[in-house]
Amino acid sequence: MTFADEVKNAVTARAALLVIGVLGLQLLFIASYVGALHRPDPTDVPFGVVAPQQVSGQLVAQLDGLPGGPLDPRAVSGEAEARRQIQNRDIDGALVVSPRGTADTLLVASGGGTVLATSLEAIITEAEAPQKRSVRTVDVAPASPDDFDGLSSFYLVVGWCVGGYLCASILAISAGTKPANRQRALIRTAVMALYSIAGGIGGAVIIGPVLGALPGSVWALAGLGALVVFAVGMITLALEALTGIVGIGLAVLLIVIAGNPSAGGAFPLPMLPDFWRAIGPALPPGAGTWVARSIAYLHGNAVTGPLLVLSAWAVVGTALTLLLSMRRRTTEAGGPSSAAGPLHGSHTP
């Protein structure tokens, strides 16, 4: 067999593996999105109950025992405290029982998820009907009328995530998929930082002043956007530094296939199956969507944890990218035996 034949066989084998990998991503995409979103049932939704002391415990037990376990009810001292907990995102709704009449009040926050607020109204209305009581719904943090189903925050974050991994992919493949040496890694990181700032500001301006889809601070959203883009971009660069061009597929797996359906965008987290509910807050799309909604509708409350998640992805991605580039520089200094594998070129861009 000639050298040309060997090269041809190697390329063919590599192409076959990449095609199989793409097929796997396609099937995982279908399984993830359909699995997460085909049957959105509220489960263990944090829910407050404001009622006279003599009936509070009984009502909490009644709501806790509803078929399917849609609510995780807990007694709350008063309506003002219930409103505060909803604004702080400690609970997603609350029932305020009238001590004298039969007309109770349901407090919801459609800004945190319109579909969830509507579901809570249906659940409580059905639960109250046998007691001959009516329910009046009060939205303490209403979504903007220009933000259909509260989806604008989610699509904004999805756009930032797409920009992050596409920019990182372009930076990597522009040099022929060569792994980054120290100089190349520093340049890519700097470009990624500048791109992130531009993408964050641009997205916030489009969704706020231009389209009027989201209220809230434009600069707070811009800062969030820069962090989301940078976190996704740097973790993509790190995956590419670890695995070459396969890292692009791994980034798609992490952000698109696992992250988007578990982000709580189309359906808030309490309406997702357990697996997606568990992983969503730990991934950039979920953390970003939570913060965007808090900025827009809930006074920026309860954002420390999600911001730490995004920062962790950014720090880990940056550290891995730079450390792996230093390892490559050290290896190259040892001689030509360290040349990159078949997915990597050997010339400096």
Side-chain angles (χ1 to χ4, degrees):
M1 181 179 293
T2 66
F3 176 75
D5 290 333
E6 291 179 356
V7 171
K8 181 179 179 181
N9 289 340
V11 171
T12 301
R14 183 181 66 184
L17 288 174
L18 290 175
V19 168
I20 292 172
V22 171
L23 175 61
L25 288 177
Q26 173 185 302
L27 299 179
L28 285 172
F29 183 98
I30 295 170
S32 183
Y33 278 72
V34 177
L37 307 177
H38 76 288
R39 187 178 178 182
D41 292 324
T43 306
D44 292 329
V45 179
F47 190 78
V49 176
V50 180
Q53 187 173 3
Q54 60 270 25
V55 300
S56 178
Q58 178 183 353
L59 183 55
V60 168
Q62 175 190 341
L63 294 177
D64 191 38
L66 290 176
L71 303 179
D72 178 18
R74 72 284 310 265
V76 177
S77 59
E79 181 175 346
E81 174 64 13
R83 288 174 176 265
R84 186 192 69 80
Q85 290 191 25
I86 292 173
Q87 292 283 354
N88 286 343
R89 310 198 76 173
D90 297 324
I91 57 177
D92 292 305
L95 177 64
V96 181
V97 177
S98 172
R100 297 180 180 84
T102 59
D104 300 331
T105 301
L106 173 65
L107 305 178
V108 297
S110 62
T114 303
V115 177
L116 180 57
T118 302
S119 296
L120 287 176
E121 184 174 9
I123 291 168
I124 296 301
T125 299
E126 183 178 352
E128 291 269 84
Q131 310 300 323
K132 307 299 182 183
R133 304 187 70 88
S134 61
V135 179
R136 177 179 67 98
T137 301
V138 175
D139 198 338
V140 302
S144 166
D146 295 317
D147 180 15
F148 178 74
D149 273 356
L151 290 173
S152 296
S153 299
F154 171 60
Y155 289 130
L156 173 64
V157 172
V158 168
W160 281 330
C161 289
V162 169
Y165 68 72
L166 285 182
C167 180
S169 300
I170 290 170
L171 289 174
I173 66 177
S174 63
T177 70
K178 290 190 286 290
N181 56 27
R182 184 173 64 179
Q183 179 183 7
R184 195 178 297 134
L186 288 171
I187 291 172
R188 290 175 182 176
T189 301
V191 172
M192 198 70 243
L194 293 174
Y195 176 86
S196 300
I197 293 170
I201 294 174
V205 169
I206 289 171
I207 206 163
V210 175
L211 297 178
L214 279 186
S217 168
V218 172
W219 288 111
L221 287 172
L224 169 64
L227 181 56
V228 170
V229 176
F230 188 72
V232 172
M234 292 313 299
I235 203 65
T236 303
L237 285 176
L239 291 170
E240 291 165 346
L242 280 169
T243 63
I245 197 172
V246 174
I248 298 175
L250 294 177
V252 171
L253 175 64
L254 182 70
I255 304 301
V256 178
I257 294 176
N260 286 353
S262 65
F267 302 109
L269 289 176
M271 302 187 73
L272 298 180
D274 291 342
F275 173 76
W276 286 269
R277 187 193 303 202
I279 67 172
L283 297 175
T289 299
W290 178 278
V291 176
R293 282 178 172 160
S294 288
I295 291 172
Y297 298 117
L298 295 151
H299 311 294
N301 291 327
V303 299
T304 301
L307 288 177
L308 287 175
V309 168
L310 291 169
S311 299
W313 283 106
V315 170
V316 169
T318 303
L320 281 175
T321 299
L322 297 179
L323 287 173
L324 289 168
S325 71
M326 293 173 64
R327 185 186 69 176
R328 170 176 161 77
R329 182 171 178 268
T330 302
T331 305
E332 285 178 340
S337 61
S338 61
L343 292 181
H344 296 140
S346 57
H347 301 290
T348 303

